Amino acid sequence: MRIQLEDRDGRQRWVAFAGSEMSVGRAPGSGLLLPERNVSRRHARFVRSNGSVFVEDLGSANGTRVNGERIEGRRRIRPGDLVQIGDFDIALEGGAAEGAEAPPPSPAPPPLPGAAPGDGPSLAADGAPDVAAPRGWLLAASLLAAVALVSTLLGYGAARLLRPPQVPPERASR
């Protein structure tokens, strides 16, 4: 069984739902990491019980919707139901045991916006690297390059200001 995730820019990814529970939120270590401000740290969770799958809102600030309806507590979901958490649309896809063939994984998308500096790659529910997890090292490298450029420009400007004015040779002899 898989969970299909689509962000507001239309980027899609699939996450295997192999265990009995998967947490969803902004907090590092979430089974489904969604680093957006309109997603609570511990927003919701998917639970598999007795052959059914449920989504449960964990008291999030912005709520969880199933097929457009805001839910409270736990709601059973089926393949084809649309779960909305923040700016993300989430759908459940049946596994191979149910006769449904899962789509191939999408190519690695760029990091999702809203990541805090220092957030590193996380693991998806299946233990594989989560390709949409934020990459704090890229932000740090960009910041370092900008600081180096500004420092160089400031150093050049300070050197010009501190240099004594040069007098043209024809004026020096008068």
Side-chain angles (χ1 to χ4, degrees):
M1 188 168 288
R2 288 183 165 194
I3 293 176
Q4 178 187 3
L5 175 75
E6 184 173 327
D7 67 13
R8 68 175 166 222
D9 296 326
R11 293 182 296 222
Q12 295 181 349
R13 65 180 166 134
W14 287 264
V15 177
F17 183 23
S20 61
E21 186 176 312
M22 179 187 298
S23 63
V24 180
R26 262 191 0 230
S30 295
L32 188 55
L33 181 65
L34 304 178
E36 289 289 330
R37 289 183 173 263
N38 59 4
V39 176
S40 296
R41 290 184 180 279
R42 292 190 59 237
H43 196 104
R45 68 181 176 163
F46 289 96
V47 178
R48 189 187 325 227
S49 176
N50 298 328
S52 296
V53 177
F54 300 86
V55 64
E56 180 179 2
D57 186 80
L58 299 176
S60 64
N62 293 319
T64 301
R65 296 182 180 277
V66 175
N67 298 325
E69 180 184 337
R70 187 170 177 157
I71 65 166
E72 293 189 25
R74 187 180 276 201
R75 171 79 60 91
R76 182 177 179 192
I77 59 172
R78 296 175 177 89
D81 285 343
L82 178 65
V83 178
Q84 295 168 298
I85 296 177
D87 291 330
F88 297 90
D89 292 338
I90 302 169
L92 182 67
E93 296 180 346
E98 297 174 24
E101 188 173 315
S106 61
L112 294 173
D119 282 352
S122 68
L123 296 180
D126 60 359
D130 186 351
V131 295
R135 294 178 179 89
W137 62 267
L138 184 59
L139 178 63
S142 299
L143 231 56
L144 186 60
V147 167
L149 178 63
V150 169
S151 297
T152 301
L153 291 174
L154 287 175
Y156 177 74
R160 288 190 58 138
L161 287 174
L162 296 175
R163 187 177 338 142
Q166 294 188 0
V167 180
E170 60 271 3
R171 289 192 177 199
S173 59
R174 290 186 191 174

